[in-house]
Amino acid sequence: MADEDQTGARKMTHQRKMMLKSLMLNKAREDLKRETEQKAEEKKAALAKRIEPIGDIRSMSSQDLMDLCRELHAKIDQVDETRFDIEVRVKKNDQDIEDLNQKIFDLRGKFKRPPLRRVRMSADQMLRALLGSKHKVSMDLRSNLKSVKKGDAKKDDAEVKDWRDNVEAKAGMGGKMAMFEGAKE
């Protein structure tokens, strides 16, 4: 019997697969429709249980209308307070769940990696993001280099003579006088 089930499952035709698939989809649609109708009925029943009929507003006096408004405002305030309390409890429970999940990951030794996305960023943009408005440095390295003219290099060679000539010229009293006169100019 088991062999027949396996061979029968293998020999299922394309038409039969499509028919079964469509039947399953129809059944799922019906279940969803029935579920939504059931939820709508439950909602109506819950609202009917909570909501009291107001009555005929046209026949009420102004004092009765003012009392009705006060009652409605008090009920609205009470509902808002309970809603706020429930929101706070839900947020606290969500935080507790997140903390417990993190403890589970820590105990297992597996760390949850946050989803990262690739960002294309130039070096200037990266420095600006890290340093903020303090970033004034440009990453253009060639602009930061000292420019040297070819004519200046020849002057440097002409100025640099043999150091011994300089020492002999400045030696003695004549050399000190020459230094003094050179400083004047």
Side-chain angles (χ1 to χ4, degrees):
M1 282 289 262
D3 291 335
E4 290 177 15
D5 290 338
Q6 289 177 353
T7 58
R10 288 184 194 151
K11 292 184 180 182
M12 187 180 292
T13 64
H14 180 69
Q15 287 178 330
R16 183 164 174 87
K17 284 182 187 178
M18 293 303 288
M19 184 182 71
L20 288 174
K21 187 175 181 180
S22 64
L23 287 173
M24 287 176 20
L25 286 173
N26 287 336
K27 176 70 172 152
R29 271 192 218 107
E30 290 173 7
D31 288 346
L32 283 174
K33 189 175 182 181
R34 198 173 323 120
E35 187 178 327
T36 54
E37 290 173 357
Q38 184 181 4
K39 284 184 179 180
E41 289 174 9
E42 288 174 2
K43 184 177 180 180
K44 284 180 184 177
L47 287 175
K49 195 185 298 183
R50 291 181 184 176
I51 296 174
E52 300 171 8
I54 293 176
D56 190 19
I57 296 175
R58 294 184 187 131
S59 63
M60 291 184 179
S61 68
S62 63
Q63 185 61 35
D64 291 340
L65 287 174
M66 290 173 76
D67 291 340
L68 179 64
C69 286
R70 285 187 190 105
E71 280 181 40
L72 291 175
H73 279 288
K75 287 181 181 179
I76 288 171
D77 288 341
Q78 183 181 9
V79 168
D80 276 344
E81 287 176 10
T82 56
R83 180 186 56 82
F84 179 75
D85 292 342
I86 290 171
E87 282 181 3
V88 168
R89 269 191 273 153
V90 167
K91 286 180 183 177
K92 184 180 179 291
N93 288 342
D94 287 344
Q95 185 63 39
D96 289 344
I97 290 171
E98 186 66 31
D99 291 343
L100 291 173
N101 281 337
Q102 190 63 40
K103 284 182 182 178
I104 289 170
F105 280 117
D106 290 344
L107 291 174
R108 286 185 186 164
K110 296 180 182 178
F111 297 101
K112 184 178 179 184
R113 290 184 182 173
L116 299 176
R117 59 182 187 153
R118 287 189 182 265
V119 177
R120 287 196 166 176
M121 207 182 253
S122 69
D124 283 335
Q125 290 172 331
M126 197 173 298
L127 284 173
R128 202 170 294 124
L130 292 173
L131 301 175
S133 62
K134 297 176 187 176
H135 173 63
K136 300 269 194 280
V137 179
S138 175
M139 285 303 291
D140 187 15
L141 297 176
R142 292 183 183 199
S143 67
N144 293 336
L145 295 176
K146 181 180 175 183
S147 61
V148 177
K149 294 180 183 174
K150 293 182 180 179
D152 291 342
K154 291 178 183 176
K155 283 184 180 179
D156 290 340
D157 291 340
E159 290 175 6
V160 177
K161 298 177 184 174
D162 191 16
W163 61 274
R164 285 171 245 143
D165 294 339
N166 254 352
V167 171
E168 290 174 9
K170 293 180 182 177
M173 195 60 172
K176 296 214 188 251
M177 195 65 161
M179 282 178 62
F180 180 68
E181 288 174 0
K184 273 183 164 179
E185 297 172 0

